[in-house]
Amino acid sequence: MHICIAAVGKLKETYLIAGVNEYKKRLSPYAKIEIIEVADEKTPERASLLEEERIKEREGERLLAHIPDSAYVIALAIEGKMKSSEQFAAHLDELATYGQSNIAFVIGGSLGLSRRVMARADEALSFSKMTFPHQLMRLILLEQIYRAFRINRGEPYHK
């Protein structure tokens, strides 16, 4: 399975970089993991809704440029469907079983994802009704992908 995580912004904090690298290493026996970072736009302090939409569109164009047409796209969005770790694992297993071995997860910037990115997505996934920093979401997502592979292979995982 090939899993791509396309995200807005560059990781800066060393603890996040270390965590992402650790989970990429743990995932290497299960899947090929690719992380693509695209530049984020600076948002003015009192940006209008129109300015915010333009920013999301520019970031969205950058994200879409890295997503192959053949990829099954899962957008991380607060309005997406929530799943338990077991449901997420079963869903990834089902995708692989039915020939979707190229999966792209998309993480937007601080303003979220553009309409075009959401339209391209095959589904929207939410990790919580709470808002998380988009940089932290990479680490959380990688941990859940790792947990999903462990669950699907009947290997022990922390409950």
Side-chain angles (χ1 to χ4, degrees):
M1 182 175 274
H2 178 264
I3 296 175
C4 171
I5 298 172
V8 172
K10 184 169 178 56
L11 287 183
K12 296 174 187 108
E13 292 82 2
T14 54
Y15 71 94
L16 289 175
I17 294 167
V20 164
N21 288 336
E22 175 63 26
Y23 277 101
K24 281 176 67 178
K25 186 175 86 178
R26 289 184 189 191
L27 279 160
S28 63
Y30 304 108
K32 181 179 185 279
I33 304 295
E34 176 184 16
I35 297 180
I36 295 166
E37 296 177 330
V38 302
D40 56 346
E41 293 282 324
K42 299 295 178 220
T43 305
E45 193 168 317
R46 291 195 175 100
S48 68
L49 290 176
L50 182 60
E51 285 174 305
E52 288 183 356
E53 285 303 314
R54 285 184 183 145
I55 289 168
K56 288 194 298 187
E57 287 302 319
R58 285 192 293 268
E59 291 174 345
E61 291 294 324
R62 292 182 193 127
L63 289 167
L64 290 170
H66 293 282
I67 298 172
D69 291 340
S70 61
Y72 185 90
V73 178
I74 301 174
L76 271 59
I78 202 162
E79 66 273 12
K81 183 176 181 189
M82 284 192 248
K83 297 178 184 206
S84 68
S85 294
E86 293 80 10
Q87 290 170 325
F88 180 64
H91 184 52
L92 286 183
D93 194 46
E94 182 181 284
L95 289 172
T97 300
Y98 292 101
Q100 295 290 348
S101 60
N102 187 8
I103 299 172
F105 290 91
V106 184
I107 302 172
S110 60
L111 299 174
L113 292 166
S114 70
R115 289 187 192 120
R116 284 198 54 223
V117 172
M118 293 305 292
R120 169 62 180 92
D122 294 287
E123 67 177 276
L125 176 66
S126 174
F127 277 65
S128 173
K129 289 184 180 190
M130 294 181 185
T131 302
F132 295 104
H134 58 281
Q135 294 186 346
L136 179 60
M137 273 314 302
R138 284 183 229 182
L139 181 56
I140 294 170
L141 173 61
L142 283 166
E143 190 282 332
Q144 285 298 303
I145 293 169
Y146 174 71
R147 183 180 299 265
F149 278 107
R150 303 280 295 184
I151 290 169
N152 288 338
R153 287 178 170 66
E155 296 170 355
Y157 65 96
H158 182 69
K159 295 181 183 179

